[in-house]
Amino acid sequence: MDARTAVCVLTHDARFDIPLLRHAPTLPVSYVGAMGSRRTHEERLRLLTEAGVPQERLSRPRSPIGLDLGARTPEETAVSITAEIIAAGNHATGRPLPGLSGPIHRDRAPALRTVVRADAATDGGAWL
């Protein structure tokens, strides 16, 4: 794992989320995020605090994840999350290009290589 790697938690299950989110912020990855509502994220933060995770690591996981694209389907949600991961990895804003000035293409970090995923809905929380 390196700066081209993203960790994205999609389980919606604290039994998997909390152990992964205790460890993920210590990794040299470009993105750490967890799917869920704002209320779910607040509960995760409470559980992580109770588990002794230092405050500086609690700010790293992003949640809810994805850009505001108006996504409704699982495919649209995947595009939204992937767009946020790409923007984060490139230190970009994710804002529409017409509202920005300067060059469209800039020097950037190497492209993301891997998305590490745990998804209880399809694999019982196993790493893929």
Side-chain angles (χ1 to χ4, degrees):
M1 289 189 203
D2 60 22
R4 298 172 297 166
T5 306
V7 175
C8 190
V9 182
L10 307 173
T11 66
H12 296 284
D13 188 332
R15 293 176 301 159
F16 301 108
D17 294 359
I18 301 308
L20 180 57
L21 291 172
R22 284 182 71 178
H23 182 64
T26 67
L27 300 173
V29 299
S30 65
Y31 180 92
V32 176
M35 185 174 268
S37 67
R38 287 175 179 82
R39 184 173 53 209
T40 297
H41 186 60
E42 290 300 319
E43 177 64 10
R44 273 193 213 109
L45 292 176
R46 185 186 68 75
L47 293 170
L48 288 165
T49 300
E50 288 177 3
V53 175
Q55 193 64 35
E56 64 273 5
R57 285 198 330 217
L58 292 176
S59 64
R60 186 149 184 227
R62 297 172 182 241
S63 186
I65 55 176
L67 298 181
D68 180 11
L69 304 179
R72 297 279 183 220
T73 66
E75 296 83 3
E76 291 172 342
T77 300
V79 168
S80 168
I81 294 167
T82 303
E84 181 184 14
I85 291 169
I86 292 168
N90 292 326
H91 305 287
T93 67
R95 293 176 42 211
L97 291 173
L100 301 176
S101 60
I104 293 172
H105 304 288
R106 331 175 240 151
D107 291 336
R108 61 185 178 105
L112 290 174
R113 175 181 64 169
T114 297
V115 175
V116 178
R117 174 178 154 238
D119 187 345
T122 59
D123 64 33
W127 288 93
L128 295 177

Short mmCIF file of all heavy atoms in Angstrom, two decimals, residues 69-107:
data_model
loop_
_atom_site.label_atom_id
_atom_site.label_comp_id
_atom_site.label_asym_id
_atom_site.label_seq_id
_atom_site.Cartn_x
_atom_site.Cartn_y
_atom_site.Cartn_z
N LEU A 69 -23.30 14.28 -6.64
CA LEU A 69 -23.66 14.16 -8.05
C LEU A 69 -25.16 13.89 -8.22
O LEU A 69 -25.63 13.72 -9.34
CB LEU A 69 -22.88 13.00 -8.70
CG LEU A 69 -21.37 13.05 -8.62
CD1 LEU A 69 -20.77 11.82 -9.29
CD2 LEU A 69 -20.83 14.31 -9.25
N GLY A 70 -25.88 13.80 -7.11
CA GLY A 70 -27.29 13.42 -7.18
C GLY A 70 -27.46 11.94 -7.44
O GLY A 70 -28.47 11.51 -7.99
N ALA A 71 -26.47 11.14 -7.05
CA ALA A 71 -26.49 9.71 -7.32
C ALA A 71 -27.69 9.03 -6.67
O ALA A 71 -28.03 9.33 -5.52
CB ALA A 71 -25.19 9.07 -6.81
N ARG A 72 -28.32 8.14 -7.41
CA ARG A 72 -29.46 7.37 -6.91
C ARG A 72 -29.21 5.86 -7.00
O ARG A 72 -29.64 5.12 -6.15
CB ARG A 72 -30.72 7.70 -7.70
CG ARG A 72 -31.16 9.13 -7.57
CD ARG A 72 -31.91 9.33 -6.29
NE ARG A 72 -32.38 10.70 -6.22
CZ ARG A 72 -32.37 11.41 -5.13
NH1 ARG A 72 -31.94 10.90 -4.02
NH2 ARG A 72 -32.81 12.65 -5.14
N THR A 73 -28.54 5.42 -8.05
CA THR A 73 -28.33 3.99 -8.27
C THR A 73 -26.98 3.57 -7.68
O THR A 73 -26.11 4.42 -7.44
CB THR A 73 -28.33 3.66 -9.77
OG1 THR A 73 -27.18 4.27 -10.37
CG2 THR A 73 -29.60 4.15 -10.45
N PRO A 74 -26.78 2.27 -7.47
CA PRO A 74 -25.46 1.82 -7.00
C PRO A 74 -24.34 2.22 -7.96
O PRO A 74 -23.25 2.60 -7.51
CB PRO A 74 -25.60 0.29 -6.94
CG PRO A 74 -27.06 0.07 -6.72
CD PRO A 74 -27.75 1.16 -7.50
N GLU A 75 -24.60 2.19 -9.25
CA GLU A 75 -23.59 2.58 -10.23
C GLU A 75 -23.24 4.06 -10.11
O GLU A 75 -22.07 4.43 -10.16
CB GLU A 75 -24.07 2.26 -11.66
CG GLU A 75 -24.27 0.79 -11.93
CD GLU A 75 -25.63 0.24 -11.47
OE1 GLU A 75 -26.48 1.01 -10.96
OE2 GLU A 75 -25.84 -0.98 -11.61
N GLU A 76 -24.25 4.90 -9.95
CA GLU A 76 -24.01 6.33 -9.79
C GLU A 76 -23.27 6.61 -8.48
O GLU A 76 -22.39 7.48 -8.43
CB GLU A 76 -25.32 7.10 -9.83
CG GLU A 76 -25.97 7.11 -11.20
CD GLU A 76 -27.37 7.71 -11.19
OE1 GLU A 76 -28.01 7.82 -10.11
OE2 GLU A 76 -27.83 8.08 -12.28
N THR A 77 -23.62 5.87 -7.44
CA THR A 77 -22.94 6.03 -6.16
C THR A 77 -21.47 5.65 -6.30
O THR A 77 -20.59 6.33 -5.77
CB THR A 77 -23.62 5.18 -5.07
OG1 THR A 77 -24.99 5.61 -4.95
CG2 THR A 77 -22.93 5.30 -3.73
N ALA A 78 -21.19 4.59 -7.04
CA ALA A 78 -19.80 4.16 -7.27
C ALA A 78 -19.02 5.25 -8.01
O ALA A 78 -17.86 5.53 -7.67
CB ALA A 78 -19.76 2.85 -8.04
N VAL A 79 -19.65 5.87 -9.01
CA VAL A 79 -18.99 6.96 -9.74
C VAL A 79 -18.71 8.12 -8.79
O VAL A 79 -17.63 8.72 -8.81
CB VAL A 79 -19.84 7.42 -10.95
CG1 VAL A 79 -19.32 8.72 -11.53
CG2 VAL A 79 -19.89 6.33 -12.01
N SER A 80 -19.67 8.45 -7.94
CA SER A 80 -19.53 9.55 -6.99
C SER A 80 -18.35 9.31 -6.04
O SER A 80 -17.54 10.20 -5.79
CB SER A 80 -20.84 9.69 -6.20
OG SER A 80 -20.68 10.53 -5.10
N ILE A 81 -18.26 8.09 -5.52
CA ILE A 81 -17.18 7.74 -4.59
C ILE A 81 -15.84 7.74 -5.32
O ILE A 81 -14.85 8.28 -4.82
CB ILE A 81 -17.46 6.38 -3.92
CG1 ILE A 81 -18.70 6.48 -3.02
CG2 ILE A 81 -16.25 5.90 -3.12
CD1 ILE A 81 -19.26 5.14 -2.57
N THR A 82 -15.81 7.14 -6.49
CA THR A 82 -14.57 7.09 -7.27
C THR A 82 -14.10 8.50 -7.61
O THR A 82 -12.90 8.79 -7.55
CB THR A 82 -14.76 6.25 -8.54
OG1 THR A 82 -15.19 4.94 -8.15
CG2 THR A 82 -13.49 6.16 -9.34
N ALA A 83 -15.02 9.38 -7.97
CA ALA A 83 -14.66 10.77 -8.28
C ALA A 83 -14.02 11.45 -7.07
O ALA A 83 -13.03 12.17 -7.20
CB ALA A 83 -15.88 11.54 -8.76
N GLU A 84 -14.57 11.21 -5.88
CA GLU A 84 -13.98 11.81 -4.68
C GLU A 84 -12.59 11.24 -4.42
O GLU A 84 -11.66 11.98 -4.07
CB GLU A 84 -14.85 11.59 -3.45
CG GLU A 84 -14.25 12.24 -2.22
CD GLU A 84 -15.01 11.99 -0.93
OE1 GLU A 84 -15.88 11.10 -0.88
OE2 GLU A 84 -14.71 12.70 0.04
N ILE A 85 -12.42 9.94 -4.60
CA ILE A 85 -11.11 9.32 -4.38
C ILE A 85 -10.08 9.90 -5.35
O ILE A 85 -8.96 10.23 -4.95
CB ILE A 85 -11.21 7.78 -4.54
CG1 ILE A 85 -12.03 7.19 -3.38
CG2 ILE A 85 -9.82 7.15 -4.61
CD1 ILE A 85 -12.41 5.74 -3.57
N ILE A 86 -10.46 10.05 -6.61
CA ILE A 86 -9.54 10.63 -7.60
C ILE A 86 -9.20 12.07 -7.24
O ILE A 86 -8.03 12.48 -7.27
CB ILE A 86 -10.13 10.54 -9.02
CG1 ILE A 86 -10.20 9.07 -9.45
CG2 ILE A 86 -9.32 11.37 -10.02
CD1 ILE A 86 -11.03 8.83 -10.70
N ALA A 87 -10.21 12.86 -6.88
CA ALA A 87 -9.97 14.26 -6.50
C ALA A 87 -9.05 14.34 -5.28
O ALA A 87 -8.11 15.14 -5.26
CB ALA A 87 -11.29 14.97 -6.24
N ALA A 88 -9.30 13.51 -4.28
CA ALA A 88 -8.46 13.53 -3.08
C ALA A 88 -7.03 13.13 -3.41
O ALA A 88 -6.08 13.76 -2.94
CB ALA A 88 -9.04 12.60 -2.02
N GLY A 89 -6.87 12.11 -4.23
CA GLY A 89 -5.53 11.65 -4.59
C GLY A 89 -4.74 12.66 -5.40
O GLY A 89 -3.51 12.68 -5.36
N ASN A 90 -5.45 13.53 -6.10
CA ASN A 90 -4.81 14.56 -6.92
C ASN A 90 -4.82 15.93 -6.26
O ASN A 90 -4.44 16.92 -6.88
CB ASN A 90 -5.51 14.65 -8.29
CG ASN A 90 -5.27 13.41 -9.11
OD1 ASN A 90 -4.21 12.80 -9.04
ND2 ASN A 90 -6.26 13.01 -9.88
N HIS A 91 -5.30 16.00 -5.02
CA HIS A 91 -5.43 17.27 -4.29
C HIS A 91 -6.24 18.28 -5.11
O HIS A 91 -5.90 19.46 -5.19
CB HIS A 91 -4.06 17.84 -3.93
CG HIS A 91 -3.21 16.87 -3.17
ND1 HIS A 91 -3.45 16.55 -1.85
CD2 HIS A 91 -2.15 16.12 -3.55
CE1 HIS A 91 -2.58 15.65 -1.46
NE2 HIS A 91 -1.78 15.37 -2.47
N ALA A 92 -7.30 17.79 -5.73
CA ALA A 92 -8.17 18.63 -6.55
C ALA A 92 -9.45 18.96 -5.78
O ALA A 92 -9.77 18.33 -4.77
CB ALA A 92 -8.51 17.91 -7.86
N THR A 93 -10.20 19.93 -6.28
CA THR A 93 -11.40 20.39 -5.57
C THR A 93 -12.63 19.54 -5.84
O THR A 93 -13.54 19.50 -5.01
CB THR A 93 -11.75 21.84 -5.97
OG1 THR A 93 -12.14 21.85 -7.35
CG2 THR A 93 -10.58 22.77 -5.73
N GLY A 94 -12.72 18.93 -7.01
CA GLY A 94 -13.93 18.22 -7.38
C GLY A 94 -15.03 19.16 -7.86
O GLY A 94 -16.16 18.74 -8.08
N ARG A 95 -14.70 20.43 -8.02
CA ARG A 95 -15.68 21.42 -8.49
C ARG A 95 -15.78 21.40 -10.01
O ARG A 95 -14.84 20.98 -10.69
CB ARG A 95 -15.27 22.81 -8.00
CG ARG A 95 -15.37 22.93 -6.48
CD ARG A 95 -14.89 24.25 -5.93
NE ARG A 95 -15.32 25.38 -6.72
CZ ARG A 95 -14.62 26.50 -6.85
NH1 ARG A 95 -13.44 26.62 -6.27
NH2 ARG A 95 -15.08 27.49 -7.57
N PRO A 96 -16.88 21.89 -10.59
CA PRO A 96 -17.02 21.93 -12.05
C PRO A 96 -15.93 22.80 -12.69
O PRO A 96 -15.60 23.88 -12.21
CB PRO A 96 -18.40 22.55 -12.27
CG PRO A 96 -19.14 22.32 -11.00
CD PRO A 96 -18.09 22.33 -9.91
N LEU A 97 -15.38 22.33 -13.80
CA LEU A 97 -14.29 23.04 -14.48
C LEU A 97 -14.66 24.45 -14.94
O LEU A 97 -13.82 25.35 -14.87
CB LEU A 97 -13.77 22.21 -15.66
CG LEU A 97 -13.03 20.94 -15.27
CD1 LEU A 97 -12.71 20.11 -16.50
CD2 LEU A 97 -11.77 21.27 -14.50
N PRO A 98 -15.90 24.71 -15.42
CA PRO A 98 -16.20 26.08 -15.86
C PRO A 98 -16.05 27.13 -14.75
O PRO A 98 -15.80 28.29 -15.03
CB PRO A 98 -17.65 26.01 -16.32
CG PRO A 98 -17.85 24.59 -16.71
CD PRO A 98 -17.00 23.80 -15.74
N GLY A 99 -16.18 26.72 -13.50
CA GLY A 99 -16.05 27.67 -12.39
C GLY A 99 -14.63 27.86 -11.90
O GLY A 99 -14.40 28.61 -10.96
N LEU A 100 -13.68 27.19 -12.53
CA LEU A 100 -12.28 27.30 -12.11
C LEU A 100 -11.46 28.06 -13.13
O LEU A 100 -11.81 28.12 -14.31
CB LEU A 100 -11.69 25.89 -11.94
CG LEU A 100 -12.40 24.98 -10.94
CD1 LEU A 100 -11.77 23.60 -10.95
CD2 LEU A 100 -12.35 25.57 -9.55
N SER A 101 -10.36 28.64 -12.69
CA SER A 101 -9.45 29.31 -13.61
C SER A 101 -8.14 28.52 -13.66
O SER A 101 -7.91 27.63 -12.85
CB SER A 101 -9.19 30.74 -13.15
OG SER A 101 -8.60 30.73 -11.87
N GLY A 102 -7.31 28.84 -14.62
CA GLY A 102 -6.03 28.17 -14.75
C GLY A 102 -6.13 26.94 -15.63
O GLY A 102 -7.19 26.64 -16.19
N PRO A 103 -5.03 26.21 -15.74
CA PRO A 103 -5.00 25.05 -16.64
C PRO A 103 -5.93 23.93 -16.14
O PRO A 103 -6.10 23.75 -14.95
CB PRO A 103 -3.54 24.61 -16.62
CG PRO A 103 -2.96 25.19 -15.39
CD PRO A 103 -3.75 26.42 -15.08
N ILE A 104 -6.51 23.23 -17.08
CA ILE A 104 -7.37 22.09 -16.74
C ILE A 104 -6.51 20.92 -16.26
O ILE A 104 -6.84 20.26 -15.29
CB ILE A 104 -8.23 21.67 -17.95
CG1 ILE A 104 -9.24 22.76 -18.27
CG2 ILE A 104 -8.93 20.34 -17.69
CD1 ILE A 104 -10.00 22.54 -19.56
N HIS A 105 -5.42 20.66 -16.95
CA HIS A 105 -4.52 19.57 -16.60
C HIS A 105 -3.32 20.15 -15.88
O HIS A 105 -2.67 21.06 -16.36
CB HIS A 105 -4.07 18.82 -17.86
CG HIS A 105 -5.22 18.30 -18.65
ND1 HIS A 105 -5.98 17.23 -18.22
CD2 HIS A 105 -5.76 18.70 -19.82
CE1 HIS A 105 -6.94 17.00 -19.10
NE2 HIS A 105 -6.83 17.89 -20.08
N ARG A 106 -3.05 19.63 -14.70
CA ARG A 106 -1.93 20.11 -13.90
C ARG A 106 -1.01 18.94 -13.59
O ARG A 106 -1.41 17.79 -13.70
CB ARG A 106 -2.40 20.70 -12.57
CG ARG A 106 -3.73 21.29 -12.56
CD ARG A 106 -4.11 21.73 -11.15
NE ARG A 106 -5.30 20.98 -10.82
CZ ARG A 106 -5.65 20.62 -9.63
NH1 ARG A 106 -4.91 20.91 -8.61
NH2 ARG A 106 -6.74 19.96 -9.42
N ASP A 107 0.19 19.28 -13.13
CA ASP A 107 1.07 18.22 -12.64
C ASP A 107 0.39 17.62 -11.44
O ASP A 107 -0.22 18.31 -10.63
CB ASP A 107 2.43 18.80 -12.23
CG ASP A 107 3.23 19.27 -13.44
OD1 ASP A 107 2.97 18.76 -14.55
OD2 ASP A 107 4.10 20.13 -13.26
#
